[in-house]
Amino acid sequence: MDLDQSARIGGFFALRTSPPPTPLAPPAPAAVPLALLYAGGADAALAARIDRVAVGLGTPERRVAASAAHLGLTARLWSVALGPAALFGRFPDLTPETLHWDGTLGAPDELWWSGTNSRPATADDLRAAVQEAHLVPLHAAFARDGRISPRLLWGNAGSALAGALRELLRWTRSHDRPEAAARAVALTRGLLAHPDLERTVRGPALRRTTCCLYYRSRSGGLCGDCVFDHPPRKGLERRPPAP
């Protein structure tokens, strides 16, 4: 299992095995184990992360910034597991105690892993390692920060998983790795069969079925897999169901 090779897929797939360098000024807080965040011991760090995203998006709506922050972290969690699983048939055992997060940084520096164990690349193992160990308590952490729909959060989770698959397929095609592509597709199909994820994306393009609220940001744009054809505030119709 070569994590450096996984990182070549893209920044979201990179996983440090040591803390990133700390800038000399201003002092940066140390990364915390995600277990601490999930237990409620790092709510201030999560709130600060959402605040920074709100400034970047130019939105006064906290749930818009919370959705974007959640989507970014969820995409990282899926990617650092699915990438190695597809390429090597194993992935890091990303326990919340060994996966550290620094909300002041962006990918790939915001996560680092202090573990050494790996798990077999099965849908059940990926579900246990990412969905159950991370996404369920992560959703609870975001809910503590403010009102946000569980349906939106699971929609983000499905969209992030589909996005990781797209990047993997792009990379495997350009590097002639058909076996890794087939494994990625099979694993993603198995993950999306879970009741919490099975209706989050649809059609062969894996287009999401819920809105992440990005259209309400300053840019007013739409994501590539958006459920809408046009921003809803323009009063236009939703896209027809995907084939």
Side-chain angles (χ1 to χ4, degrees), residues 20-235:
T22 300
L24 295 178
V32 298
L34 281 170
L36 181 64
L37 173 65
Y38 301 155
D43 285 350
L46 181 62
R49 173 64 178 169
I50 295 171
D51 288 342
R52 281 188 289 275
V53 172
V55 171
L57 292 179
T59 178
E61 294 186 79
R62 190 158 189 81
R63 65 188 182 121
V64 176
S67 176
H70 172 267
L71 183 56
L73 182 51
T74 301
R76 289 284 280 134
L77 292 169
W78 280 129
S79 298
V80 296
L82 187 62
L87 295 183
F88 311 113
R90 298 192 70 84
F91 67 95
D93 189 10
L94 303 168
T95 65
E97 293 76 19
T98 59
L99 194 59
H100 304 256
W101 173 73
D102 184 342
T104 67
L105 303 175
D109 290 334
E110 90 284 28
L111 289 181
W112 73 275
W113 180 54
S114 61
T116 57
N117 296 330
S118 64
R119 300 181 67 152
T122 70
D124 287 343
D125 277 271
L126 280 165
R127 181 177 296 112
V130 179
Q131 182 175 337
E132 295 171 7
H134 287 282
L135 299 189
V136 170
L138 182 65
H139 291 188
F142 272 87
R144 289 195 301 270
D145 181 82
R147 183 171 173 269
I148 189 165
S149 164
R151 186 166 179 260
L152 182 155
L153 295 176
W154 282 116
N156 282 353
S159 174
L161 175 58
L165 175 63
R166 290 188 195 97
E167 284 302 297
L168 269 166
L169 294 181
R170 175 193 60 77
W171 190 90
T172 54
R173 281 194 297 267
S174 65
H175 290 77
D176 193 25
R177 292 288 304 273
E179 82 294 345
R183 189 180 293 127
V185 169
L187 290 171
T188 301
R189 184 180 294 121
L191 291 166
L192 289 174
H194 188 275
D196 287 332
L197 295 171
E198 64 180 345
R199 294 184 179 88
T200 58
V201 293
R202 66 187 181 201
L206 298 179
R207 190 166 165 185
R208 66 181 297 158
T209 59
T210 60
C211 179
C212 71
L213 303 178
Y214 179 69
Y215 79 92
R216 299 180 70 89
S217 66
R218 177 172 49 202
S219 74
L222 300 180
C223 303
D225 65 344
C226 187
V227 66
F228 296 111
D229 260 334
H230 306 280
R233 60 172 165 245
K234 295 183 179 178

